[in-house]
Amino acid sequence: MAAPRRAAVLGSPIAHSLSPVLHRTAYRELGLTGWTYERFEVDESGLPAFFETLGPEWAGLSLTMPLKRAVIPLLDEISETAASVDAVNTVVRTEDGRSVGDNTDIPGMVAALREHGIDKVDAAAVLGAGATASSALAALSRICPGEIAVYVRSEARATEMRQWAERLDVAVRIADWADAEQALRAPLVISTTPAGVTDALARSVPERPAALFDVLYDPWPTDLAARWSAYGGAVVSGLDLLVHQAVLQVEQMTGLAPAPLEAMRKAGEQALAER
């Protein structure tokens, strides 16, 4: 049995984070008595001071935006995956006190898609161009050899997406948000927008939709996901992503694999149902 350790999710705000539910469930299932997973409100300015308090009892940290980028200068090492998108959502504390950063959002996306039978697509569309969209591009670089259409609402965002496309070596076509309904005919649509942004697109879902990955999980389902599912299309939810990336975090922080995916998913579903 592993010695009791501490882990936590950091962010501002993080009041509605499901991470504690998922990680604590994993600890119980893995028999990690005494392990704790906490929640700390930390902003970018307070992050360096928080790191100075980390002792040998710490196993790792989960990070939300904007800390995913702010943490990088504080780390001893980051993975190639994290470096590819300049975003670290997972910090593992090694036995010698080093802090190693990784990004489990990207492989978590791939795993969530694979769980729904989506291993490869010839083309894809991404709705939105924020931080999650760059992770979506990185995930698509692993499963989509064809063109990725990214629908954006500003030229500034378009420029950012072009830069990410070049960096990740993916074929991207930038499209105006006014034409976003065209995205819904792609073999795979990944929606990375905040709640409510895609509601108006629900009425444009085709009669035979392919696959939709909507990264939101609360509220769920979104109008777009509900219509997509009603028309028989495959739907991957933000909870699927959250659980799969948390599974990878648990495995890295505890050194135990596999993490209890189904127990963690059920705990997340229950937590959402009780809100």
Side-chain angles (χ1 to χ4, degrees), residues 83-102:
S84 72
V85 290
D86 284 340
V88 167
N89 77 324
T90 306
V91 175
V92 174
R93 297 279 291 177
T94 63
E95 291 184 0
D96 59 1
R98 299 174 72 249
S99 294
V100 180
D102 193 14

Side-chain angles (χ1 to χ4, degrees), residues 12 42-51 66-67 70 74:
S12 181
V42 179
D43 60 18
E44 291 175 87
S45 63
L47 191 59
F50 186 91
F51 258 71
L67 302 185
L74 305 176

Side-chain angles (χ1 to χ4, degrees), residues 13-232:
I14 55 169
H16 301 296
S17 172
L18 284 182
S19 293
V21 172
L22 302 181
H23 283 252
R24 291 168 187 167
T25 298
Y27 297 164
R28 287 195 299 270
E29 294 291 320
L30 293 170
L32 296 175
T33 305
W35 276 60
T36 61
Y37 189 94
E38 303 157 83
R39 186 195 326 246
F40 291 95
E41 293 280 351
V42 179
D43 60 18
E44 291 175 87
S45 63
L47 191 59
F50 186 91
F51 258 71
E52 291 178 1
T53 70
L54 299 179
E57 75 278 11
W58 281 90
L61 302 169
S62 306
L63 301 165
T64 63
M65 287 299 288
L67 302 185
K68 292 181 182 182
R69 294 204 170 109
V71 75
I72 292 176
L74 305 176
L75 302 176
D76 298 297
E77 178 185 347
I78 65 172
S79 68
E80 290 185 9
T81 300
S84 72
V85 290
D86 284 340
V88 167
N89 77 324
T90 306
V91 175
V92 174
R93 297 279 291 177
T94 63
E95 291 184 0
D96 59 1
R98 299 174 72 249
S99 294
V100 180
D102 193 14
N103 185 307
T104 64
D105 287 331
I106 295 167
M109 283 186 175
V110 174
L113 287 165
R114 183 176 296 119
E115 185 179 37
H116 286 75
I118 305 168
D119 293 305
K120 185 177 180 180
V121 290
D122 295 329
V126 176
L127 299 174
T132 305
S134 62
S135 292
L137 285 184
L140 287 169
S141 72
R142 303 183 180 193
I143 67 168
C144 179
E147 183 183 76
I148 302 167
V150 181
Y151 291 79
V152 303
R153 289 179 287 175
S154 72
E155 182 55 37
R157 291 296 194 183
T159 299
E160 290 179 12
M161 286 299 101
R162 291 189 186 98
Q163 292 172 345
W164 283 118
E166 182 176 355
R167 182 168 177 171
L168 294 165
D169 194 25
V170 293
V172 162
R173 174 175 61 84
I174 302 299
D176 191 275
W177 185 262
D179 300 320
E181 64 181 44
Q182 296 177 11
L184 309 185
R185 295 174 176 78
L188 171 62
V189 180
I190 301 182
S191 176
T192 69
T193 64
V197 174
T198 61
D199 287 355
L201 294 176
R203 62 176 179 268
S204 301
V205 174
E207 291 185 4
R208 296 182 182 84
L212 170 69
F213 191 164
D214 195 324
V215 302
L216 293 174
Y217 62 85
D218 188 18
W220 186 263
T222 61
D223 288 357
L224 181 61
R227 180 67 65 88
W228 201 279
S229 182
Y231 281 14

